Amino acid sequence: MKACFMGLGYIGLPTAIIAAHHGVEVLGVDINPKVVAMTNAGHLHIIEPGLEEMLRKAVDSGQLRAATQPEVSDAYFIVVPTPFKGNHQPDISYVEAATRSVVPFLKEGDLYVIESTSPVGTTDQMADLIFSLRPELKGKLHIAYCPERVLPGNVIYELVHNDRVIGGRDAASTERAKEFYSHFVTGTLHATNCKTAEMCKLTENSCRDSQIAFANELSIICDRAGINVWELIELANKHPRVNILQPGCGVGGHCIAVDPYFITAEFPTEARMIATAREVNNGKADWCAQKVENAILRFRLAYQRKPIVALMGLAFKPNIDDLRESPAIQITHAIITSNKDDAELLIVEPNIQQHEEFQLTDYQEAYNRADIVVFLTAHTPFRSLEWSKEKVILDFCGIFKH
Ligand code: SAJ
């Protein structure tokens, strides 16, 4: 069995490596020659604990190779990004480009699977594209949609153990795709059709976005009401059927802050709550920035000098170095723009060595020096800091819950 993975990013590369470890002959394809060179040299271009060693083994054993162009294979996996364009419209041009590049290699009996998060109907649309270019293959390919649901940082475990949803264009396609994934997935493979599988991925991330929006809205209400939101949530969660998530300074990353727009773009009239959740979560970052600006102003009025402000955390979630779509960065930019002459800013991100735009300060030093401390990301080391009555502390992510 030879499989071609189109896209060697955060999902494509780990999946290619795991498949190679389970006896599949893998060709990883990426349009970026640097990624291809690094992969062939056994170096990981993404950060994922434990994965580099697996990559090296797969390359050394000849089970995995990378290239900038696909080759004849038995199965093709589309694992490329699906960002959104202006006005939050999904952009499936990478899926289309990757599909076009495998079309010349397809032959009777092959498996073609989209893993990229995609708007409902994308798999059918790509099937139409394939058959418009290769009409002789109509009815002779297995075409399916199979989303991933792994959490960055725990990818090796979750790629194997998570259940997966597999939606074929017909029962034979679903069966063929299930056969492939059973090479390395020990979780249950749930069969469905491709539209349901596409919607399932969007539903999972929209559900989480809505639940986080609830927590974020609650945090703003509690701030007005003078109630400790962390204590409130802890108490409410003692109810056997209530499970409120944690508020933060917004929602970041490339998934949860993006995927709900794939639903709202297509169903603008119906998707009212999903759209509102996006607004609430985006609005939380603006609200946090406003809170910091007000604190700076109040400090200046009270002490007639510029405060030192520590901005703690840039990553989009705790204990990672991933800054993609991070609300903490958005807030940092907003504060720099509106307060560059009103405060001395110390920017902290313990998970990265340096940043091309910001000069970084050690977290302990920043905390010691600051008059105003703003917790943006709940990195574990921050929890070792001691609460200080001398400082203004804006704790947006629950470092000092009580
Ligand atoms: N967040 C909160 N409060 C919480 C939980 C999260 O504010 O209680 C924030 C985080 O700080 C972060 C954002 O939400 O900014 C997203 O973080 P996350 O850990 O919820 O999710 P991601 O984006 O790392 O990964 C999600 C996962 N999806 C779900 O949990 C439904 C993952 O399983 C998916 O594979 C991934 O999206 C994806 O690739 O789609």
Side-chain angles (χ1 to χ4, degrees):
M1 157 64 96
K2 182 170 172 183
C4 188
F5 283 83
M6 304 298 296
L8 293 177
Y10 279 86
I11 302 301
L13 183 56
T15 314
I17 295 171
I18 303 258
H21 268 261
H22 287 81
V24 179
E25 185 189 341
V26 174
L27 177 73
V29 178
D30 203 287
I31 52 169
N32 184 343
K34 274 191 202 151
V35 167
V36 169
M38 278 185 79
T39 305
N40 281 328
H43 297 308
L44 211 59
H45 75 97
I46 56 170
I47 291 160
E48 186 59 42
L51 198 62
E52 188 157 76
E53 206 189 318
M54 290 182 78
L55 169 64
R56 231 174 290 129
K57 277 191 194 152
V59 170
D60 288 350
S61 65
Q63 206 65 28
L64 186 148
R65 273 183 311 119
T68 53
Q69 293 296 327
E71 288 172 9
V72 173
S73 305
D74 305 304
Y76 300 84
F77 296 85
I78 309 296
V79 205
V80 292
T82 41
F84 55 69
K85 303 181 265 198
N87 211 11
H88 297 135
Q89 296 298 311
D91 175 4
I92 59 162
S93 58
Y94 296 110
V95 172
E96 190 179 326
T99 302
R100 281 183 187 276
S101 75
V102 302
V103 166
F105 300 95
L106 292 172
K107 54 184 176 354
E108 186 171 346
D110 281 354
L111 173 65
Y112 164 95
V113 178
I114 303 178
E115 285 202 8
S116 309
T117 304
S118 301
V120 174
T122 304
T123 311
D124 284 339
Q125 222 176 303
M126 290 305 114
D128 291 346
L129 173 69
I130 293 169
F131 297 134
S132 73
L133 298 166
R134 301 283 307 277
E136 78 283 8
L137 288 176
K138 230 176 184 162
K140 295 179 181 160
L141 295 176
H142 296 113
I143 298 181
Y145 182 78
C146 178
E148 56 69 33
R149 16 165 85 147
V150 296
L151 208 59
N154 197 26
V155 165
I156 300 176
Y157 179 86
E158 293 204 5
L159 263 181
V160 173
H161 293 89
N162 287 357
D163 283 13
R164 288 186 84 134
V165 172
I166 300 189
R169 294 235 309 157
D170 49 47
S173 298
T174 309
E175 226 16 73
R176 183 77 204 299
K178 274 180 78 175
E179 229 174 80
F180 175 81
Y181 284 102
S182 60
H183 276 100
F184 59 92
V185 177
T186 59
T188 307
L189 300 171
H190 302 272
T192 181
N193 58 53
C194 48
K195 264 173 121 175
T196 308
E198 288 161 345
M199 188 61 178
C200 189
K201 172 70 189 178
L202 304 180
T203 300
E204 290 161 13
N205 281 351
S206 299
C207 174
R208 192 147 169 94
D209 195 45
S210 300
Q211 288 174 340
I212 298 168
F214 182 81
N216 278 334
E217 184 165 294
L218 210 52
S219 71
I220 296 175
I221 294 170
C222 285
D223 185 72
R224 282 282 308 271
I227 292 169
N228 179 330
V229 70
W230 313 101
E231 185 193 359
L232 172 77
I233 290 174
E234 226 171 273
L235 294 174
N237 283 349
K238 301 285 181 211
H239 185 291
R241 285 170 296 282
V242 172
N243 185 16
I244 303 169
L245 294 183
Q246 300 293 295
C249 68
V251 168
H254 259 204
C255 309
I256 294 188
V258 175
D259 298 357
Y261 291 122
F262 288 21
I263 299 180
T264 58
E266 208 175 338
F267 307 99
T269 315
E270 297 81 3
R272 290 188 299 160
M273 202 187 90
I274 294 170
T276 305
R278 283 281 66 243
E279 278 171 33
V280 169
N281 286 333
N282 287 340
K284 183 70 193 285
D286 299 335
W287 183 86
C288 292
Q290 192 61 58
K291 280 263 165 196
V292 179
E293 284 162 26
N294 292 347
I296 291 172
L297 195 64
R298 267 200 301 273
F299 187 96
R300 288 189 64 111
L301 288 173
Y303 299 98
Q304 297 298 310
R305 70 168 174 88
K306 277 186 188 184
I308 298 175
V309 180
L311 299 172
M312 309 288 279
L314 291 175
F316 86 84
K317 66 177 189 177
N319 304 324
I320 56 166
D321 61 355
D322 194 338
L323 310 185
R324 294 178 300 167
E325 308 288 325
S326 174
I329 294 213
Q330 188 192 325
I331 293 166
T332 303
H333 277 144
I335 294 163
I336 291 172
T337 309
S338 57
N339 292 88
K340 61 179 181 308
D341 301 321
D342 297 328
E344 182 188 336
L345 300 181
L346 304 176
I347 298 171
V348 173
E349 180 39 74
N351 295 297
I352 55 175
Q353 297 299 321
Q354 54 190 38
H355 188 271
E356 55 186 23
E357 186 184 352
F358 308 125
Q359 194 193 327
L360 300 177
T361 304
D362 169 70
Y363 76 93
Q364 184 73 62
E365 181 193 335
Y367 187 74
N368 291 345
R369 284 184 56 204
D371 303 300
I372 301 174
V373 184
V374 185
F375 287 106
L376 297 171
T377 311
H379 293 313
T380 303
F382 298 165
R383 297 194 187 276
S384 66
L385 297 167
E386 260 177 50
W387 173 268
S388 162
K389 271 199 248 151
E390 315 305 315
K391 299 175 189 296
V392 177
I393 297 181
L394 297 176
D395 185 2
F396 296 131
C397 53
I399 296 294
F400 300 112
K401 291 195 169 174
H402 296 288

